[in-house]
Amino acid sequence: MEAESVAERVTRVWAEAALPAITDFIRIPNLSPGFDPEWAEHGHMARAVELVSAWIKARPVAGMQVSVEQLEGRSPVIVAEIDGTAAGTVVLYGHLDKQPEMVGWRDGLGPWDPVLEGDRLYGRGAADDGYAAFAALTAIEAVQSAGGEHARLVVIIEASEESGSPDLPAYIDALADRIGRPDLVVCLDSGCPTWDRLWLTTSLRGLVGLTLTVRVLTEGVHSGAAGGVVPSTFRILRRLLSRVEEEATGEILVPELHVPMPIDREKELTETANELGADFSERFPFVDGATAVDADAIAQVAAKTWQPAMELIGMAGVPTPADGGNVLRPYTTAKLSFRLPPMCDPDVARDALVRVLTADPPYGASIEVEANDLAEGWNAPPTAPWLAAALDEASMAAFGEPARTVGEGGTIPFMAMLGERFPDAQFVITGVLGPDTNAHGPNEFLHLPTARRVTIAIAHLLNAHAAVR
């Protein structure tokens, strides 16, 4: 395969076709079903699926069939099947549903208003994970145009990942005959600590999402009359949260949420932390004077990848400061997100959290816990020698530096699912969520040079896979 031809093709397709399409994609507010229960009626997801599937169908890829599948009551999935010129099957994965808008976009930017500033394309969903479909098909097109080889390819673009992929298992079952038994899975929905090389994700954390409600009254009452007599639901909430998290350090106190780190991951973590150094925490937008929980780079990487963590991501029953009157509120609801280490059983973790939070309610308060989200983490199987060599070569071709590995703090339910179903497959998890890209938050952007380079690397990987088959 001609490396210069691959790079030229990828650069041209991104500039002439992919960039305009993904710019239009940003304009569509296709929130994931978990954030928009009426997504089907609103039609935004259908628009996004039509845009992406039409773009895929228009690409000059030989031996390709494209379909949009939609099971009853579920979000759609785009499936592109490409005949192989070599043995084996490769699955390439991405998603096109988006997180909510989030507040805090700087002047001139907005979630649905694409803005190109230098190498950055701002807008919701471009980097997480709208680019994936465009990168996958461009890589395949580049392999074919440069005279390369590839195995049979199955591209799957789902629409419920940001909700925890609740619809994907049904599609994996329904498409089992078409997917076959892949020997390589490529996921384009992860991060990269730096822009200078191809980064491979070797572990992902799991997730438990809980909604915790504390009630003491049937209605609000005057705080002057009730204060000091009726217990505050917020104070009770604080006590309950202290059962699961040490507030001074953030340490999770529930043993079921901890697992030992494998020795090979300890070695990898140390090497990655030493390479990244202080830059690992300095990339976050701290206010003046704020610091990371721990200044040590190894501790930071460990905390992000192999330790549990809790975040309060939403509240109800609490007025805004402008609307808050002198009332002792009847209830407080907190939406909690618990990140779990890889290999931690989310069912066991959920049950333990519910047990700890509901036992012996302070003041006899009503404690309600609803489990919203549940997802398994993932730990990569040992990398085959051919794949390790191919990834270094692909990274050199695209970035001029060898590949590196790192654990990620996020969750991709698809990986745990396929890991269980295809235990003999090799996995390549990569992405473009690098420094300051701020997926899920304000000012999310796609770093276009990295998107192009990752595309080039995937093209070389597909050709290398075909050579060993």
Short mmCIF file of all heavy atoms in Angstrom, two decimals, residues 280-337:
data_model
loop_
_atom_site.label_atom_id
_atom_site.label_comp_id
_atom_site.label_asym_id
_atom_site.label_seq_id
_atom_site.Cartn_x
_atom_site.Cartn_y
_atom_site.Cartn_z
N PHE A 280 -0.70 16.11 32.93
CA PHE A 280 -1.93 15.32 33.03
C PHE A 280 -3.04 16.11 33.73
O PHE A 280 -4.18 16.10 33.29
CB PHE A 280 -1.66 14.02 33.78
CG PHE A 280 -2.84 13.09 33.79
CD1 PHE A 280 -3.10 12.30 32.69
CD2 PHE A 280 -3.69 13.04 34.88
CE1 PHE A 280 -4.20 11.44 32.68
CE2 PHE A 280 -4.79 12.19 34.87
CZ PHE A 280 -5.03 11.39 33.77
N SER A 281 -2.72 16.80 34.82
CA SER A 281 -3.74 17.56 35.54
C SER A 281 -3.83 19.00 35.07
O SER A 281 -4.89 19.63 35.17
CB SER A 281 -3.47 17.53 37.04
OG SER A 281 -2.22 18.13 37.33
N GLU A 282 -2.76 19.54 34.55
CA GLU A 282 -2.75 20.95 34.17
C GLU A 282 -3.64 21.25 32.97
O GLU A 282 -3.97 22.40 32.71
CB GLU A 282 -1.32 21.40 33.86
CG GLU A 282 -0.43 21.47 35.11
CD GLU A 282 1.01 21.81 34.78
OE1 GLU A 282 1.34 21.88 33.57
OE2 GLU A 282 1.80 21.98 35.71
N ARG A 283 -4.08 20.20 32.26
CA ARG A 283 -4.93 20.44 31.09
C ARG A 283 -6.36 20.83 31.49
O ARG A 283 -7.12 21.30 30.67
CB ARG A 283 -4.97 19.19 30.21
CG ARG A 283 -5.73 18.03 30.83
CD ARG A 283 -5.55 16.78 30.00
NE ARG A 283 -4.15 16.47 29.88
CZ ARG A 283 -3.65 15.57 29.05
NH1 ARG A 283 -4.46 14.88 28.27
NH2 ARG A 283 -2.36 15.32 28.98
N PHE A 284 -6.75 20.59 32.72
CA PHE A 284 -8.11 20.90 33.13
C PHE A 284 -8.25 22.40 33.43
O PHE A 284 -7.31 23.04 33.91
CB PHE A 284 -8.49 20.06 34.35
CG PHE A 284 -8.52 18.59 34.09
CD1 PHE A 284 -7.52 17.75 34.57
CD2 PHE A 284 -9.52 18.02 33.32
CE1 PHE A 284 -7.53 16.39 34.31
CE2 PHE A 284 -9.55 16.66 33.05
CZ PHE A 284 -8.55 15.85 33.54
N PRO A 285 -9.44 22.96 33.19
CA PRO A 285 -9.62 24.42 33.34
C PRO A 285 -9.85 24.85 34.79
O PRO A 285 -10.92 25.34 35.14
CB PRO A 285 -10.85 24.69 32.46
CG PRO A 285 -11.65 23.44 32.53
CD PRO A 285 -10.63 22.32 32.59
N PHE A 286 -8.85 24.65 35.63
CA PHE A 286 -8.95 25.06 37.03
C PHE A 286 -9.12 26.58 37.14
O PHE A 286 -8.53 27.34 36.37
CB PHE A 286 -7.69 24.66 37.80
CG PHE A 286 -7.57 23.18 38.09
CD1 PHE A 286 -6.61 22.42 37.45
CD2 PHE A 286 -8.41 22.57 39.00
CE1 PHE A 286 -6.48 21.06 37.71
CE2 PHE A 286 -8.28 21.21 39.28
CZ PHE A 286 -7.32 20.46 38.63
N VAL A 287 -9.90 27.02 38.13
CA VAL A 287 -9.92 28.44 38.45
C VAL A 287 -8.62 28.77 39.16
O VAL A 287 -7.91 27.89 39.66
CB VAL A 287 -11.13 28.79 39.34
CG1 VAL A 287 -12.43 28.50 38.63
CG2 VAL A 287 -11.07 28.05 40.68
N ASP A 288 -8.30 30.05 39.23
CA ASP A 288 -7.07 30.47 39.88
C ASP A 288 -7.01 29.96 41.32
O ASP A 288 -7.95 30.15 42.10
CB ASP A 288 -6.96 31.99 39.87
CG ASP A 288 -6.68 32.55 38.49
OD1 ASP A 288 -6.27 31.76 37.62
OD2 ASP A 288 -6.90 33.76 38.29
N GLY A 289 -5.91 29.30 41.65
CA GLY A 289 -5.70 28.81 42.99
C GLY A 289 -6.14 27.39 43.24
O GLY A 289 -5.73 26.78 44.23
N ALA A 290 -7.00 26.83 42.37
CA ALA A 290 -7.47 25.46 42.56
C ALA A 290 -6.41 24.47 42.08
O ALA A 290 -5.64 24.75 41.16
CB ALA A 290 -8.77 25.23 41.81
N THR A 291 -6.38 23.30 42.72
CA THR A 291 -5.38 22.29 42.39
C THR A 291 -6.04 20.93 42.25
O THR A 291 -7.19 20.73 42.64
CB THR A 291 -4.29 22.21 43.48
OG1 THR A 291 -4.89 21.76 44.71
CG2 THR A 291 -3.64 23.56 43.70
N ALA A 292 -5.27 19.99 41.74
CA ALA A 292 -5.74 18.61 41.65
C ALA A 292 -5.78 17.98 43.04
O ALA A 292 -5.18 18.50 44.00
CB ALA A 292 -4.80 17.80 40.75
N VAL A 293 -6.50 16.87 43.16
CA VAL A 293 -6.60 16.17 44.45
C VAL A 293 -5.24 15.73 44.93
O VAL A 293 -4.91 15.80 46.11
CB VAL A 293 -7.55 14.96 44.32
CG1 VAL A 293 -7.57 14.14 45.60
CG2 VAL A 293 -8.96 15.42 43.96
N ASP A 294 -4.40 15.27 43.99
CA ASP A 294 -3.05 14.79 44.32
C ASP A 294 -2.10 15.34 43.27
O ASP A 294 -2.40 15.32 42.07
CB ASP A 294 -3.02 13.26 44.33
CG ASP A 294 -1.78 12.70 45.00
OD1 ASP A 294 -0.65 13.10 44.64
OD2 ASP A 294 -1.94 11.85 45.90
N ALA A 295 -0.94 15.82 43.69
CA ALA A 295 0.02 16.40 42.76
C ALA A 295 0.85 15.37 42.02
O ALA A 295 1.49 15.68 41.02
CB ALA A 295 0.95 17.37 43.51
N ASP A 296 0.84 14.13 42.50
CA ASP A 296 1.67 13.09 41.90
C ASP A 296 1.03 12.57 40.62
O ASP A 296 -0.16 12.19 40.60
CB ASP A 296 1.85 11.94 42.89
CG ASP A 296 2.70 10.82 42.33
OD1 ASP A 296 3.92 11.02 42.19
OD2 ASP A 296 2.12 9.76 42.01
N ALA A 297 1.80 12.52 39.53
CA ALA A 297 1.25 12.11 38.24
C ALA A 297 0.78 10.65 38.26
O ALA A 297 -0.25 10.33 37.68
CB ALA A 297 2.31 12.30 37.15
N ILE A 298 1.51 9.78 38.91
CA ILE A 298 1.11 8.36 38.98
C ILE A 298 -0.22 8.24 39.73
O ILE A 298 -1.12 7.50 39.31
CB ILE A 298 2.20 7.52 39.65
CG1 ILE A 298 3.45 7.50 38.77
CG2 ILE A 298 1.69 6.10 39.90
CD1 ILE A 298 4.62 6.75 39.38
N ALA A 299 -0.36 8.97 40.83
CA ALA A 299 -1.61 8.93 41.59
C ALA A 299 -2.77 9.47 40.75
O ALA A 299 -3.89 8.96 40.83
CB ALA A 299 -1.46 9.74 42.88
N GLN A 300 -2.50 10.49 39.94
CA GLN A 300 -3.55 11.06 39.10
C GLN A 300 -4.03 10.06 38.05
O GLN A 300 -5.24 9.89 37.85
CB GLN A 300 -3.04 12.33 38.42
CG GLN A 300 -2.83 13.49 39.37
CD GLN A 300 -2.24 14.69 38.67
OE1 GLN A 300 -2.06 14.70 37.46
NE2 GLN A 300 -1.94 15.72 39.44
N VAL A 301 -3.09 9.41 37.38
CA VAL A 301 -3.47 8.44 36.35
C VAL A 301 -4.20 7.26 36.98
O VAL A 301 -5.20 6.76 36.44
CB VAL A 301 -2.24 7.97 35.55
CG1 VAL A 301 -2.64 6.92 34.53
CG2 VAL A 301 -1.58 9.15 34.84
N ALA A 302 -3.74 6.82 38.14
CA ALA A 302 -4.41 5.71 38.83
C ALA A 302 -5.82 6.09 39.22
O ALA A 302 -6.77 5.30 39.08
CB ALA A 302 -3.60 5.30 40.06
N ALA A 303 -5.99 7.31 39.73
CA ALA A 303 -7.32 7.76 40.15
C ALA A 303 -8.28 7.82 38.98
O ALA A 303 -9.47 7.51 39.12
CB ALA A 303 -7.21 9.14 40.81
N LYS A 304 -7.78 8.18 37.82
CA LYS A 304 -8.65 8.31 36.65
C LYS A 304 -9.00 6.97 36.03
O LYS A 304 -10.05 6.85 35.36
CB LYS A 304 -7.97 9.19 35.60
CG LYS A 304 -8.76 9.33 34.31
CD LYS A 304 -8.00 10.08 33.25
CE LYS A 304 -8.79 10.08 31.95
NZ LYS A 304 -8.10 10.78 30.85
N THR A 305 -8.17 5.96 36.20
CA THR A 305 -8.33 4.74 35.43
C THR A 305 -8.69 3.50 36.22
O THR A 305 -9.45 2.65 35.73
CB THR A 305 -7.04 4.46 34.63
OG1 THR A 305 -5.94 4.36 35.55
CG2 THR A 305 -6.75 5.56 33.63
N TRP A 306 -8.17 3.35 37.45
CA TRP A 306 -8.37 2.10 38.19
C TRP A 306 -8.91 2.31 39.60
O TRP A 306 -8.86 1.40 40.43
CB TRP A 306 -7.07 1.30 38.25
CG TRP A 306 -6.84 0.54 36.98
CD1 TRP A 306 -6.20 0.98 35.86
CD2 TRP A 306 -7.29 -0.79 36.68
NE1 TRP A 306 -6.22 0.01 34.89
CE2 TRP A 306 -6.88 -1.09 35.36
CE3 TRP A 306 -7.99 -1.76 37.40
CZ2 TRP A 306 -7.15 -2.30 34.75
CZ3 TRP A 306 -8.26 -2.97 36.79
CH2 TRP A 306 -7.84 -3.24 35.47
N GLN A 307 -9.43 3.49 39.88
CA GLN A 307 -10.04 3.74 41.17
C GLN A 307 -11.47 4.26 40.98
O GLN A 307 -11.75 4.94 39.98
CB GLN A 307 -9.22 4.75 41.97
CG GLN A 307 -7.85 4.23 42.39
CD GLN A 307 -7.03 5.28 43.09
OE1 GLN A 307 -7.52 6.35 43.44
NE2 GLN A 307 -5.74 4.98 43.29
N PRO A 308 -12.37 3.94 41.91
CA PRO A 308 -13.74 4.45 41.79
C PRO A 308 -13.81 5.92 42.17
O PRO A 308 -12.96 6.44 42.89
CB PRO A 308 -14.51 3.58 42.79
CG PRO A 308 -13.50 3.23 43.83
CD PRO A 308 -12.19 3.09 43.10
N ALA A 309 -14.84 6.58 41.67
CA ALA A 309 -15.03 8.00 41.98
C ALA A 309 -16.52 8.32 41.91
O ALA A 309 -17.27 7.69 41.16
CB ALA A 309 -14.25 8.88 41.01
N MET A 310 -16.94 9.30 42.70
CA MET A 310 -18.33 9.74 42.71
C MET A 310 -18.42 11.20 42.30
O MET A 310 -17.57 12.01 42.68
CB MET A 310 -18.95 9.56 44.10
CG MET A 310 -20.43 9.94 44.17
SD MET A 310 -21.07 10.07 45.87
CE MET A 310 -20.45 11.69 46.35
N GLU A 311 -19.45 11.52 41.52
CA GLU A 311 -19.74 12.91 41.21
C GLU A 311 -21.24 13.14 41.28
O GLU A 311 -22.03 12.32 40.80
CB GLU A 311 -19.23 13.28 39.81
CG GLU A 311 -19.52 14.72 39.39
CD GLU A 311 -18.94 15.74 40.36
OE1 GLU A 311 -17.81 15.54 40.84
OE2 GLU A 311 -19.64 16.74 40.63
N LEU A 312 -21.64 14.24 41.91
CA LEU A 312 -23.03 14.66 41.92
C LEU A 312 -23.27 15.43 40.63
O LEU A 312 -22.70 16.51 40.44
CB LEU A 312 -23.31 15.52 43.15
CG LEU A 312 -24.78 15.82 43.45
CD1 LEU A 312 -24.96 16.09 44.93
CD2 LEU A 312 -25.28 17.02 42.66
N ILE A 313 -24.08 14.89 39.74
CA ILE A 313 -24.22 15.47 38.41
C ILE A 313 -25.55 16.17 38.18
O ILE A 313 -25.78 16.75 37.12
CB ILE A 313 -24.01 14.41 37.31
CG1 ILE A 313 -25.04 13.29 37.43
CG2 ILE A 313 -22.59 13.86 37.38
CD1 ILE A 313 -24.93 12.27 36.28
N GLY A 314 -26.44 16.15 39.20
CA GLY A 314 -27.71 16.84 39.05
C GLY A 314 -28.44 16.88 40.38
O GLY A 314 -28.23 16.03 41.26
N MET A 315 -29.30 17.91 40.54
CA MET A 315 -30.09 18.01 41.76
C MET A 315 -31.50 18.48 41.42
O MET A 315 -31.72 19.19 40.43
CB MET A 315 -29.46 18.99 42.76
CG MET A 315 -28.14 18.52 43.34
SD MET A 315 -27.65 19.46 44.82
CE MET A 315 -28.76 18.79 46.04
N ALA A 316 -32.44 18.10 42.28
CA ALA A 316 -33.83 18.55 42.17
C ALA A 316 -34.34 18.86 43.56
O ALA A 316 -33.78 18.41 44.57
CB ALA A 316 -34.70 17.49 41.50
N GLY A 317 -35.42 19.65 43.60
CA GLY A 317 -35.98 20.05 44.87
C GLY A 317 -35.27 21.25 45.47
O GLY A 317 -35.55 21.64 46.61
N VAL A 318 -34.34 21.84 44.71
CA VAL A 318 -33.55 22.97 45.19
C VAL A 318 -33.78 24.15 44.25
O VAL A 318 -33.36 24.10 43.09
CB VAL A 318 -32.05 22.63 45.26
CG1 VAL A 318 -31.26 23.80 45.80
CG2 VAL A 318 -31.82 21.38 46.09
N PRO A 319 -34.43 25.22 44.70
CA PRO A 319 -34.63 26.38 43.82
C PRO A 319 -33.31 27.05 43.47
O PRO A 319 -32.29 26.86 44.16
CB PRO A 319 -35.52 27.31 44.66
CG PRO A 319 -36.05 26.47 45.78
CD PRO A 319 -35.02 25.41 46.02
N THR A 320 -33.34 27.87 42.44
CA THR A 320 -32.18 28.70 42.14
C THR A 320 -32.04 29.75 43.24
O THR A 320 -33.00 30.05 43.97
CB THR A 320 -32.35 29.42 40.79
OG1 THR A 320 -33.47 30.32 40.89
CG2 THR A 320 -32.61 28.41 39.68
N PRO A 321 -30.85 30.33 43.41
CA PRO A 321 -30.69 31.36 44.44
C PRO A 321 -31.70 32.50 44.30
O PRO A 321 -32.19 33.02 45.32
CB PRO A 321 -29.25 31.85 44.22
CG PRO A 321 -28.55 30.65 43.68
CD PRO A 321 -29.56 29.98 42.79
N ALA A 322 -32.02 32.86 43.07
CA ALA A 322 -32.97 33.96 42.87
C ALA A 322 -34.37 33.60 43.33
O ALA A 322 -35.16 34.47 43.73
CB ALA A 322 -32.98 34.38 41.40
N ASP A 323 -34.70 32.31 43.26
CA ASP A 323 -36.06 31.87 43.60
C ASP A 323 -36.19 31.28 45.00
O ASP A 323 -37.28 30.92 45.43
CB ASP A 323 -36.53 30.82 42.58
CG ASP A 323 -36.63 31.37 41.18
OD1 ASP A 323 -36.91 32.57 41.05
OD2 ASP A 323 -36.42 30.59 40.22
N GLY A 324 -35.08 31.15 45.70
CA GLY A 324 -35.12 30.49 47.00
C GLY A 324 -35.72 31.38 48.08
O GLY A 324 -35.19 32.45 48.39
N GLY A 325 -36.84 30.94 48.67
CA GLY A 325 -37.45 31.66 49.77
C GLY A 325 -37.06 31.05 51.10
O GLY A 325 -36.34 30.04 51.16
N ASN A 326 -37.52 31.61 52.19
CA ASN A 326 -37.20 31.09 53.52
C ASN A 326 -38.11 29.90 53.84
O ASN A 326 -39.04 30.00 54.65
CB ASN A 326 -37.36 32.19 54.57
CG ASN A 326 -36.26 33.23 54.46
OD1 ASN A 326 -35.11 32.88 54.22
ND2 ASN A 326 -36.61 34.49 54.61
N VAL A 327 -37.82 28.80 53.17
CA VAL A 327 -38.64 27.60 53.27
C VAL A 327 -37.75 26.41 53.60
O VAL A 327 -36.68 26.24 53.00
CB VAL A 327 -39.40 27.34 51.95
CG1 VAL A 327 -40.17 26.02 52.01
CG2 VAL A 327 -40.35 28.49 51.65
N LEU A 328 -38.19 25.59 54.54
CA LEU A 328 -37.53 24.31 54.77
C LEU A 328 -38.13 23.34 53.76
O LEU A 328 -39.30 22.99 53.83
CB LEU A 328 -37.77 23.83 56.19
CG LEU A 328 -36.86 22.68 56.65
CD1 LEU A 328 -36.60 22.77 58.15
CD2 LEU A 328 -37.45 21.33 56.30
N ARG A 329 -37.29 22.93 52.82
CA ARG A 329 -37.77 22.16 51.67
C ARG A 329 -38.16 20.74 52.07
O ARG A 329 -37.52 20.13 52.93
CB ARG A 329 -36.70 22.12 50.58
CG ARG A 329 -36.32 23.49 50.03
CD ARG A 329 -35.17 23.42 49.04
NE ARG A 329 -33.94 22.97 49.68
CZ ARG A 329 -33.48 21.75 49.61
NH1 ARG A 329 -34.12 20.82 48.92
NH2 ARG A 329 -32.35 21.43 50.24
N PRO A 330 -39.18 20.17 51.42
CA PRO A 330 -39.65 18.84 51.80
C PRO A 330 -38.74 17.71 51.35
O PRO A 330 -38.74 16.64 51.95
CB PRO A 330 -41.03 18.74 51.14
CG PRO A 330 -40.94 19.65 49.97
CD PRO A 330 -40.08 20.80 50.42
N TYR A 331 -37.99 17.93 50.27
CA TYR A 331 -37.14 16.85 49.77
C TYR A 331 -35.93 17.43 49.04
O TYR A 331 -35.93 18.59 48.61
CB TYR A 331 -37.92 15.91 48.83
CG TYR A 331 -38.14 16.48 47.44
CD1 TYR A 331 -37.26 16.15 46.39
CD2 TYR A 331 -39.20 17.33 47.17
CE1 TYR A 331 -37.45 16.67 45.12
CE2 TYR A 331 -39.40 17.84 45.90
CZ TYR A 331 -38.52 17.52 44.88
OH TYR A 331 -38.71 18.05 43.62
N THR A 332 -34.91 16.60 48.88
CA THR A 332 -33.74 16.91 48.05
C THR A 332 -33.41 15.66 47.25
O THR A 332 -33.34 14.56 47.81
CB THR A 332 -32.52 17.32 48.89
OG1 THR A 332 -32.84 18.46 49.68
CG2 THR A 332 -31.33 17.65 47.98
N THR A 333 -33.22 15.82 45.96
CA THR A 333 -32.85 14.71 45.09
C THR A 333 -31.49 14.99 44.47
O THR A 333 -31.24 16.09 43.97
CB THR A 333 -33.89 14.51 43.97
OG1 THR A 333 -35.14 14.10 44.54
CG2 THR A 333 -33.43 13.44 42.98
N ALA A 334 -30.62 14.00 44.51
CA ALA A 334 -29.29 14.10 43.92
C ALA A 334 -29.10 12.98 42.89
O ALA A 334 -29.43 11.83 43.16
CB ALA A 334 -28.21 14.00 44.99
N LYS A 335 -28.62 13.35 41.74
CA LYS A 335 -28.25 12.36 40.72
C LYS A 335 -26.76 12.10 40.86
O LYS A 335 -25.94 13.02 40.72
CB LYS A 335 -28.60 12.84 39.32
CG LYS A 335 -28.38 11.79 38.24
CD LYS A 335 -28.83 12.29 36.87
CE LYS A 335 -28.64 11.19 35.81
NZ LYS A 335 -29.06 11.66 34.47
N LEU A 336 -26.39 10.86 41.12
CA LEU A 336 -25.01 10.49 41.42
C LEU A 336 -24.44 9.60 40.32
O LEU A 336 -25.10 8.67 39.86
CB LEU A 336 -24.92 9.77 42.76
CG LEU A 336 -25.55 10.49 43.96
CD1 LEU A 336 -25.53 9.58 45.17
CD2 LEU A 336 -24.81 11.79 44.24
N SER A 337 -23.22 9.89 39.92
CA SER A 337 -22.52 9.06 38.94
C SER A 337 -21.30 8.46 39.61
O SER A 337 -20.41 9.17 40.09
CB SER A 337 -22.09 9.91 37.73
OG SER A 337 -21.30 9.14 36.83
#
